[in-house]
Structure formats: structure tokens, C-alpha cells
Amino acid sequence: MDTLPTELLAKVVSFLPCTTDLKSIRLVNRRYAAIACRPLFELLRFSGSRQDETPPWNFGPGTQHPLYEGQTGRTRTVEFGKLPEVVDEIVGSSLGRYTKTFVFDPAYYRDGFWRDYLMQVENEMHEPVDEVVFDTGDDTNVDSWEAAIERVLEHRRTRPARETDTITTAQIFWNEKMIEQKLNEEAIFAALTKLFRNMVTVEEVKVRAWSFDGRRLFPELESCISYAVDIQRRGSFPSTFFLEILARALHVADRSIRKLQVSEFFANQFHDTPATRHLFTGLREIRIDMIHVEFLSDEAQRFEILVELFKCAQPTLRSLSIVAGGKWPNLPARGGHSLLKMLGDGPDEEPLVFPHLEFLCLGGLILSTPSLLRFICAQPRLKQLEFCYIYLSTLGAGWPTLIEGLPRGIKHWKISGSVGHEPVSADGPVAYNWMTPWEPSNLDPTLASNWVPMGPKDQVYFERAR
């Protein structure tokens, strides 16, 4: 083994399955230690949650998974306001130079969180009472049910009073953390710049909002899931703010990445700057998960900021995923939408052409069929499509029209989740529950002869017939 070239040894080590094996290799000698460090520390996560902690309400298109026991990679639990301390630790230990994937979701204390929490508590007072939340014993007469319901309602009404002292303590704690974040803004930016200068092999950045259970911070609360609180207010998730500060740090550090993933993205908070253009330049893979998609509405103006930024990725982009709906991908926004609002140029919204784009994934959207087909047909190397909870809003141009119009270059397409088309009424609202559900098994035999179905029923995968 000692006579093998270092490159070949590194290739062998890259196939080892878990942390335990890599740690053992590091103990052999200096050479083996250097080889094992790369796969062992190639994933670095700055998170408000522990490495083994799964976020609450962990479902939907952006499901997060904790690092299981033995998996390579490391999570450093960190608050946004204390980033400089953690960066000094990482740079001092030289771990950053092995990082290929950097995940960023530090604990961030946003203004107005507890105001929105109280608003959620107020809203819950008026929600219907579910039978499962109370027990009348063996007595099922009407009076018992009504009394049980009243007890639940009374418990809800008195909740703010029961939690007053806890919320007061939480607000004081929160305000101290927000002051710390504000005072350390420049130091945080300088620290991230230093970190990226140290990350000589970084290829991928994933940006997320910190999702937490408030009862872990304040056990006296009856329930407090941050995602449910944050989603009540537009633009409350800090992901877009994180993305811009990371873009600035990458720009100053003169460091480029190949893959970008951002969750809870809010387009109206994003800006076209030299830093964000640098961020998009050279990207090969982009995934954007967002909740609000009004800027893609058929009636909206073209969203120039994203158009210009996607132009920076035109020469290199190979994979593009646009997923809407947040944790509820099966509930798309109302109204027809067009990808060309962010991926089209000029007065006629001509589709941007990505010469190397091979994969396109769309989820949680109501899309106009003609504009979707225009974009697909404009991509010369596009081979694979994925649709998850997609509804087509154009009357008379549903899924059969889309499939029939796919160019010959498309070799595979997949459907998962509920899909639909054909609004039930030309005068009704454009909404998923006013459309006809569609099953891939309903594909016209003439069209079906061109495609071979594969996979389970809830995730149908089609391959072009030879």
C-alpha cells in the first residue's frame, strides 16, 4: 500500500462507508491522515441545530436529514451573532480547506418573532376543535361533547395569560441576541470572507432558514414551531438575507462555486449586485425552493433581477430545480404562472437558452402550458424532466398537449404527487382544486406508445421508447 500513488490511495479511501473507518485511517501515519481528512470533512454545516437533531415539521420538498451516526461531515452548532468565533476555530484547525459542501442555517433571531407567535396563538383560538384533542370517556351524550369542546376553547383563551411571564423572558433574550447580531454585522462578513478564502475546494453552498422548536429554548411554552410562526409573515425567513451576505463574502474572497441550493427564498428581497452576479457565474446546478411566487404570475412584469442573474449562469448551467409551496408542495399558489418571468428576456419574453442544461425539475406550481413548452423546447441538450404537484392552467392544453410537444431530445420524464389540468370552468378561479386531476395512466394510447412507464404508481417515470 505504501508504494501506491497518493491519488490512487485517495480514490480508494473515497469509497469507505463511514466516519469510523476514516478515523482509523487517520491514525496510520501523516500521509494517511492527510488523505482521510478530505472525505471525512468534505461537508461542513453551520447550524442552529445539533448534528443529530431533525428539524420540527420536517417534510415537503426541502426535507432536512440529520447526519446519522458514522456519516462523514460535521455540523458546528452556531448562532449568527457568534460566527466570528466559530470561523476562527474552523480556520485555526484547517478543516475548512477540506470542505466541498457548505450548509448554512445558523440560529438567527429575527425582529418580530414573538409578535408573530402571539398572532398565531390568537388565530388558534378561532380554529375548529378537533375531536382527538379531548376525551369524554364512555359518555357520548351531546352535553358531554359540548362541555369538552368548551374546556378546550377555554384552555386556548387562557393560554396567553399562562405564557405571559415566559414570553416576556423570551423577548428579553431575543432582544439581546438581535443587538449582538447588529453589532457584529461587519465582523460576521469579515469572518465569512476569511472562511471562504480558507475553503480552497468548496463546490456547493446550501442556504436554509433555521427551523426550531421553541420549547427547547423555553420549556414552559405549550407549543412553538418556528416554521409555523415564520410562514405567517411574507419575507420573514432569513434565507435570502443569508444568501446575499454569503454572496458578498464569496465575491470578496474571489471564490466561485458550482452548486447552489436555497430554501424559503423570497425573490423580492434579492438584489442584482456584483456579488450576486459573481455568485451565479459558473453555476452548474441551481435549486430554489420558495413559498411566494406572485412574481411569476402571467400578469406580472418580467422579474429583471433574476433574469439578469440567470444570464450569468447561462454558459454553464446543467441542472435547474424550481420548487414552490414551502412545506406544502401539494398546495400551489392560485393563478397561472410562467417560468419566462424569471427565465425569459426581451419584450416578448424569449426563453433564455442554456446550452448545457440537461435536467429540469418543477414543483408546487400552476403553469401556463405554452410558456412552459417554449422554455423546454428552447433548451438544446435538455434530456430529463421532473414534475411534482404541477397543474397546467391553459384551457384545452393540458398534460397530453405538453407531452406531445416535448422535443425528441427529452429521454426521461417523471411525475410525482398530484397533478392536474383543464380548469373545470373558464369563469372559475385558476386554482388546483378547480382543475381536473390527471393520471399518467390516462395518457392517449398514441402518445403512450412513445413512452415506457416505470416505477411505483405514486412516482411514475417514463422513458422514451426506442
Side-chain angles (χ1 to χ4, degrees), residues 381-394:
R381 294 191 180 181
L382 191 57
K383 299 177 181 178
Q384 186 173 348
L385 301 171
E386 287 190 10
F387 303 104
C388 179
Y389 293 100
I390 292 294
Y391 292 78
L392 301 177
S393 62
T394 308

Side-chain angles (χ1 to χ4, degrees), residues 115-320:
R115 176 193 61 222
D116 293 343
Y117 171 77
L118 290 172
M119 179 173 67
Q120 182 196 34
V121 171
E122 173 71 23
N123 291 337
E124 288 178 354
M125 293 182 191
H126 307 290
E127 291 182 358
V129 177
D130 194 320
E131 293 178 7
V132 300
V133 303
F134 59 85
D135 182 15
T136 61
D138 297 329
D139 192 352
T140 58
N141 65 59
V142 175
D143 290 340
S144 296
W145 283 107
E146 290 181 349
I149 291 173
E150 183 55 35
R151 285 196 298 272
V152 172
L153 293 174
E154 179 62 20
H155 185 79
R156 290 179 179 177
R157 285 192 290 266
T158 57
R159 178 176 171 182
R162 292 194 305 274
E163 295 184 344
T164 297
D165 292 343
T166 302
I167 292 174
T168 299
T169 302
Q171 288 175 324
I172 293 171
F173 171 82
W174 224 254
N175 289 337
E176 291 173 352
K177 294 297 183 181
M178 288 193 298
I179 291 171
E180 181 182 48
Q181 290 172 171
K182 186 66 176 177
L183 290 175
N184 290 344
E185 276 185 354
E186 291 304 317
I188 291 168
F189 169 66
L192 289 172
T193 301
K194 180 167 70 171
L195 180 66
F196 282 128
R197 283 183 175 140
N198 186 252
M199 287 181 172
V200 294
T201 59
V202 66
E203 295 181 355
E204 181 176 14
V205 170
K206 298 181 179 181
V207 184
R208 303 169 178 163
W210 177 41
S211 181
F212 63 92
D213 186 341
R215 291 173 297 178
R216 293 188 174 182
L217 297 172
F218 307 102
E220 296 82 5
L221 295 175
E222 294 186 16
S223 67
C224 178
I225 304 300
S226 65
Y227 188 92
V229 175
D230 289 335
I231 201 171
Q232 298 174 111
R233 189 173 300 279
R234 292 171 57 85
S236 61
F237 293 99
S239 308
T240 311
F241 166 69
F242 288 165
L243 186 59
E244 290 212 334
I245 194 171
L246 291 174
R248 287 174 56 211
L250 283 164
H251 188 213
V252 173
D254 195 24
R255 188 72 66 207
S256 298
I257 58 173
R258 296 182 177 185
K259 303 176 184 178
L260 174 66
Q261 179 177 322
V262 56
S263 299
E264 284 80 45
F265 177 75
F266 191 56
N268 298 86
Q269 293 177 344
F270 205 49
H271 302 91
D272 180 6
T273 66
T276 53
R277 290 194 177 214
H278 174 84
L279 174 70
F280 273 70
T281 299
L283 286 175
R284 296 186 180 184
E285 296 183 18
I286 298 175
R287 174 171 175 137
I288 298 177
D289 290 14
M290 50 194 171
I291 298 171
H292 303 287
V293 292
E294 294 87 348
F295 70 98
L296 296 177
S297 169
D298 287 334
E299 294 77 29
Q301 296 293 316
R302 190 170 63 255
F303 202 79
E304 295 289 354
I305 291 174
L306 285 179
V307 172
E308 294 304 316
L309 291 175
F310 271 106
K311 285 181 181 179
C312 297
Q314 266 186 286
T316 54
L317 192 63
R318 287 181 161 85
S319 173
L320 175 61

Side-chain angles (χ1 to χ4, degrees), residues 405-455:
L406 294 179
R408 291 290 303 175
I410 302 296
K411 304 301 181 185
H412 316 277
W413 57 278
K414 183 172 79 173
I415 285 182
S416 58
S418 302
V419 296
H421 62 177
E422 297 293 346
V424 296
S425 170
D427 300 324
V430 179
Y432 80 98
N433 53 351
W434 281 71
M435 293 186 186
T436 307
W438 185 76
E439 295 288 342
S441 57
N442 296 335
L443 195 60
D444 181 88
T446 304
L447 291 176
S449 64
N450 297 324
W451 300 97
V452 179
M454 309 171 77

Side-chain angles (χ1 to χ4, degrees), residues 65-84:
H65 302 282
L67 294 181
Y68 58 81
E69 183 67 26
Q71 181 181 349
T72 57
R74 280 294 174 267
T75 294
R76 182 63 168 84
T77 307
V78 59
E79 296 178 351
F80 185 77
K82 297 185 184 300
L83 276 172

